[in-house]
C-alpha cells in the first residue's frame, strides 16, 4: 500500500534520493569531518563532562560525547580478528543505512540510546567540587576504548556526519551529543564478559506494543485508527500482546489487526484518510456479520470459549478475511457488502474438516504464510470470488498432499489385512 503523507508539517524521512545515497555509501568509509573537527584533537587527552557511579564495587562513568568525536573515540572492530580475540560482534552493514536514514529523516526528534564502552586502563576523574560525583573524565588518547554495545549506532553517526549529508541537509549534527557509559576494565576477558552480560536479558518489545507506540509508521497509525473507530475492535483488542492468551477476554491482538489490514489494503495507492475509511468500513461490516463476536463483546460468550469452538476467533482467520476482502473490494466494489454477508452462513466450526490442513494442522491452529492463503481460499469460494494463480497453486499442493496421505493410509490398511 502506498501511503502518502497526511496533511500537516512536512516530514522528509522518506526522501528517495537521500535513501539511495545512504545505501550506496560504504559503511567503513572514514570521513575526516567525522573524526577531526573537535577542538581537542591536538590535545594528548580526551576530556568529557561525566558523572561517576559505582556498580558491582567498581567505578563507571556516564560521559557526554559530541557526535563528531564518537568515531575517533572508540577503537574500530576488526572483523578479521577471530571472535575469541574481540569483545563485540562483526558489524552488519545492512543495518547501518537504516539508522542513518532514521537520524537524518528525524533531526528534530530522533532518539539514540547510550553507547557502552570499556576503557583498557585507568582514566582520571576530576570532580567539579570536592567529593562531587559530577566532573570531567580525562582519558589519554593512547588508551584503548572498546565499544561493547552500539557499534551500529557508532557507524551510523559516522556516516551521517559525512560531508555529502551535511551539505544536503543544510545543517550539522556534529555538535549534538550522545551518552556513553564507560566501564573501567583491564583485559579482553572482562570486556567480553561485559558484552555477554549486556545482552543476557535483552528483549525486544513485541509487535503489538511496538505498533501501539510507533507514531512514525503510517501503517501503525492506520492500525490504531482502525482499532479506535471499529467499535468491536476497540472493545476486544489487546494492544500489548503479540497473540491473545488462552484465558484472555480479548479476541484480537493489535499485531493481528495490523497484519490483516496490511493484507486488506495491499496494492492500494490512495491517501491515508481514504485508506482509513476503507479499512474501517470493511472491518465494521465484518464485525456486523459475525454475531458471535458481538456476544463476546456483550459478555454473553467468553473469548476463550469462542476460540475453542471456532476458527474465526484466531489470527489466521482474521488475516484470511483481509486477503478475501482485498479481492472482494477489487472485484465487487459496488455490492461488496451484500456479498460479504455470506460470511454469516459459513461453517466456522473447528470440528469442520473444511479447515483441516488450512487453518488447522492435526487439530491445532496454524499460523504461517501458507495457512493464511489456504484459509482464505474457502472463504473466497464461499463468497463466489475467483482464486488467484498463487492461491490455486497452494490448492494443488494441498490436494496432492491429501492424496499421498490417503494412499499411505490405504497401504497401511492393506498391509494390516494381509498380516
Amino acid at each position: 500500500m502506498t501511503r502518502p503523507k497526511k496533511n500537516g508539517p512536512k516530514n522528509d524521512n522518506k526522501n528517495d534520493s537521500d535513501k539511495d545515497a545512504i545505501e550506496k555509501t560504504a559503511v567503513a568509509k572514514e570521513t575526516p569531518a567525522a573524526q577531526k573537527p573537535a577542538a581537542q584533537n591536538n590535545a594528548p587527552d580526551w576530556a568529557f563532562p561525566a558523572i561517576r557511579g559505582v556498580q558491582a564495587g567498581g567505578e563507571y562513568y556516564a560521559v557526554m560525547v559530541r557526535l563528531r568525536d564518537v568515531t575517533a573515540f572508540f577503537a574500530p572492530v576488526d572483523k578479521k580478528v577471530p571472535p575469541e580475540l574481540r569483545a563485540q560482534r562483526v558489524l552488519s552493514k545492512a543495518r547501518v543505512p537504516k539508522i542513518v536514514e532514521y537520524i537524518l529523516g528525524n533531526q528534530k526528534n530522533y532518539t539514540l540510546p547510550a553507547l557502552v564502552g570499556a576503557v583498557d586502563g585507568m582514566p582520571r576523574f576530576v570532580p567539579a567540587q570536592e567529593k562531587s560525583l559530577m566532573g570531567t573524565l580525562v582519558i589519554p588518547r593512547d588508551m584503548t576504548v572498546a565499544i561493547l554495545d552500539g557499534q551500529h549506532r557508532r557507524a551510523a553517526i559516522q556516516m551521517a556526519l559525512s560531508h555529502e549529508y551535511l551539505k544536503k541537509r543544510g545543517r550539522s549534527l556534529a555538535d549534538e551529543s550522545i551518552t556513553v557509559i564507560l566501564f573501567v576494565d583491564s583485559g579482553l576477558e572482562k570486556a567480553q564478559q561485559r558484552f555477554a552480560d549486556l545482552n543476557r536479558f535483552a528483549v525486544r518489545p513485541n509487535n503489538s506494543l511496538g505498533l501501539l507506540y510507533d507514531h512514525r509508521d503510517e501503517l501503525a497509525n492506520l492500525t490504531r485508527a482502525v482499532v479506535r473507530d471499529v467499535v468491536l475492535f476497540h472493545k476486544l483488542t489487546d494492544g500489548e500482546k503479540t497473540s491473545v492468551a488462552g484465558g484472555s477476554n480479548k479476541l484480537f491482538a493489535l499485531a493481528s489487526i495490523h497484519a490483516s489490514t496490511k493484507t486488506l489494503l495491499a496494492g492500494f495507492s490512495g491517501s491515508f484518510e481514504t485508506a482509513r475509511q476503507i479499512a474501517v468500513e470493511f472491518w465494521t461490516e465484518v464485525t456486523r456479520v459475525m454475531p458471535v463476536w458481538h456476544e463476546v463483546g456483550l459478555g454473553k460468550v467468553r473469548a476463550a470459549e469462542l476460540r475453542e469452538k471456532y476458527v474465526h476467533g484466531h489470527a489466521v482467520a482474521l488475516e484470511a478475511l483481509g486477503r478475501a476482502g482485498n479481492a472482494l473490494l477489487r472485484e465487487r466494489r459496488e455490492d461488496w457488502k451484500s456479498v460479504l454477508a455470506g460470511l454469516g452462513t459459513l461453517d466456522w466450526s473447528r470440528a469442520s474438516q473444511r479447515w483441516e490442513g488450512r487453518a488447522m494442522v492435526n487439530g491445532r491452529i496454524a499460523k504461517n504464510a501458507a495457512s493464511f492463503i489456504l484459509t482464505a481460499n474457502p472463504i473466497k469460494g464461499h463468497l463466489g470470488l475467483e482464486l488467484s494463480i498463487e492461491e490455486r497453486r497452494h490448492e494443488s499442493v494441498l490436494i496432492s498432499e491429501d492424496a499421498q496421505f490417503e494412499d499411505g493410509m490405504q497401504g497401511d490398511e492393506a498391509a494390516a489385512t494381509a498380516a
Side-chain angles (χ1 to χ4, degrees), residues 151-284:
Q151 65 159 330
H152 292 90
R153 275 165 271 153
R154 169 193 176 276
I157 290 169
Q158 175 185 347
M159 187 185 292
L161 294 182
S162 64
H163 286 300
E164 58 183 298
Y165 296 126
L166 296 180
K167 289 179 181 178
K168 190 165 293 187
R169 295 288 169 165
R171 59 166 292 182
S172 173
L173 300 170
D175 290 325
E176 297 185 356
S177 61
I178 189 170
T179 303
V180 177
I181 306 299
L182 286 177
F183 293 95
V184 179
D185 287 329
S186 298
L188 177 64
E189 184 176 337
K190 284 189 175 181
Q192 289 177 334
Q193 188 60 58
R194 294 271 187 205
F195 174 81
D197 291 344
L198 284 167
N199 291 278
R200 188 179 302 277
F201 303 110
V203 178
R204 288 176 58 86
N206 65 58
N207 288 346
S208 284
L209 199 59
L211 292 168
L212 187 65
Y213 294 163
D214 189 350
H215 297 274
R216 300 189 198 280
D217 183 86
E218 288 296 299
L219 190 56
N221 291 333
L222 178 62
T223 302
R224 290 194 301 275
V226 168
V227 171
R228 181 190 66 234
D229 296 341
V230 178
V231 176
L232 201 64
F233 279 3
H234 184 70
K235 182 180 291 186
L236 297 177
T237 298
D238 190 327
E240 224 175 327
K241 304 290 177 59
T242 301
S243 58
V244 180
S248 173
N249 286 326
K250 301 295 185 180
L251 197 54
F252 317 103
L254 184 63
S256 298
I257 294 177
H258 176 268
S260 303
T261 302
K262 180 179 179 180
T263 302
L264 172 70
L265 297 173
F268 175 77
S269 58
S271 68
F272 175 92
E273 182 56 30
T274 303
R276 185 195 67 79
Q277 291 175 1
I278 291 172
V280 169
E281 187 177 13
F282 175 79
W283 289 120
T284 298

Side-chain angles (χ1 to χ4, degrees), residues 388-407:
S388 67
I389 294 175
E390 180 187 21
E391 290 163 347
R392 290 198 298 269
R393 180 175 60 80
H394 277 78
E395 283 297 308
S396 298
V397 172
L398 179 63
I399 293 171
S400 175
E401 291 176 347
D402 286 345
Q404 292 176 12
F405 177 77
E406 290 295 332
D407 289 343

Side-chain angles (χ1 to χ4, degrees), residues 19 51 123 145 219 283 333 364-365:
K19 184 175 180 181
I51 300 176
V145 182
L219 190 56
W283 289 120
R333 184 59 186 153
R364 298 178 64 86
I365 294 295

Side-chain angles (χ1 to χ4, degrees), residues 40-348:
Q40 58 179 342
N41 265 341
N42 295 323
D45 302 322
W46 294 104
F48 299 112
I51 300 176
R52 178 171 58 181
V54 176
Q55 195 172 102
E59 288 189 352
Y60 76 101
Y61 304 90
V63 303
M64 298 297 111
V65 180
R66 288 183 298 176
L67 298 187
R68 68 174 72 233
D69 294 326
V70 167
T71 299
F73 180 58
F74 287 105
V77 178
D78 188 350
K79 65 180 181 180
K80 295 181 181 179
V81 175
E84 66 271 16
L85 297 180
R86 60 175 186 260
Q88 180 56 277
R89 71 192 81 184
V90 173
L91 187 74
S92 170
K93 293 185 179 181
R95 290 179 56 189
V96 177
K98 296 178 182 178
I99 303 175
V100 178
E101 183 185 354
Y102 163 72
I103 296 172
L104 296 180
N106 300 281
Q107 290 190 31
K108 293 184 179 180
N109 60 354
Y110 71 92
T111 302
L112 288 178
L115 306 176
V116 181
V119 183
D120 189 6
M122 183 59 68
R124 179 166 56 92
F125 180 71
V126 182
Q129 298 178 357
E130 186 178 359
K131 296 183 179 180
S132 175
L133 297 178
M134 301 178 66
T136 301
L137 187 68
V138 180
I139 305 173
R141 285 179 178 267
D142 59 1
M143 191 174 289
T144 300
V145 182
I147 189 164
L148 302 181
D149 184 63
Q151 65 159 330
H152 292 90
R153 275 165 271 153
R154 169 193 176 276
I157 290 169
Q158 175 185 347
M159 187 185 292
L161 294 182
S162 64
H163 286 300
E164 58 183 298
Y165 296 126
L166 296 180
K167 289 179 181 178
K168 190 165 293 187
R169 295 288 169 165
R171 59 166 292 182
S172 173
L173 300 170
D175 290 325
E176 297 185 356
S177 61
I178 189 170
T179 303
V180 177
I181 306 299
L182 286 177
F183 293 95
V184 179
D185 287 329
S186 298
L188 177 64
E189 184 176 337
K190 284 189 175 181
Q192 289 177 334
Q193 188 60 58
R194 294 271 187 205
F195 174 81
D197 291 344
L198 284 167
N199 291 278
R200 188 179 302 277
F201 303 110
V203 178
R204 288 176 58 86
N206 65 58
N207 288 346
S208 284
L209 199 59
L211 292 168
L212 187 65
Y213 294 163
D214 189 350
H215 297 274
R216 300 189 198 280
D217 183 86
E218 288 296 299
L219 190 56
N221 291 333
L222 178 62
T223 302
R224 290 194 301 275
V226 168
V227 171
R228 181 190 66 234
D229 296 341
V230 178
V231 176
L232 201 64
F233 279 3
H234 184 70
K235 182 180 291 186
L236 297 177
T237 298
D238 190 327
E240 224 175 327
K241 304 290 177 59
T242 301
S243 58
V244 180
S248 173
N249 286 326
K250 301 295 185 180
L251 197 54
F252 317 103
L254 184 63
S256 298
I257 294 177
H258 176 268
S260 303
T261 302
K262 180 179 179 180
T263 302
L264 172 70
L265 297 173
F268 175 77
S269 58
S271 68
F272 175 92
E273 182 56 30
T274 303
R276 185 195 67 79
Q277 291 175 1
I278 291 172
V280 169
E281 187 177 13
F282 175 79
W283 289 120
T284 298
E285 193 65 20
V286 170
T287 62
R288 190 184 69 81
V289 299
M290 302 290 271
V292 184
W293 288 2
H294 283 279
E295 291 184 7
V296 175
L298 294 172
K300 296 180 179 180
V301 175
R302 292 188 306 111
E305 182 181 345
L306 183 145
R307 284 190 290 272
E308 289 175 3
K309 293 182 177 180
Y310 301 105
V311 166
H312 60 54
H314 297 270
V316 62
L318 198 64
E319 186 155 347
L321 285 168
R323 188 178 185 90
N326 181 275
L328 177 62
L329 294 178
R330 291 175 183 276
E331 299 174 22
R332 303 290 296 271
R333 184 59 186 153
E334 299 301 321
D335 63 342
W336 68 269
K337 289 186 179 181
S338 61
V339 176
L340 191 67
L343 292 178
T345 60
L346 183 60
D347 183 2
W348 293 96

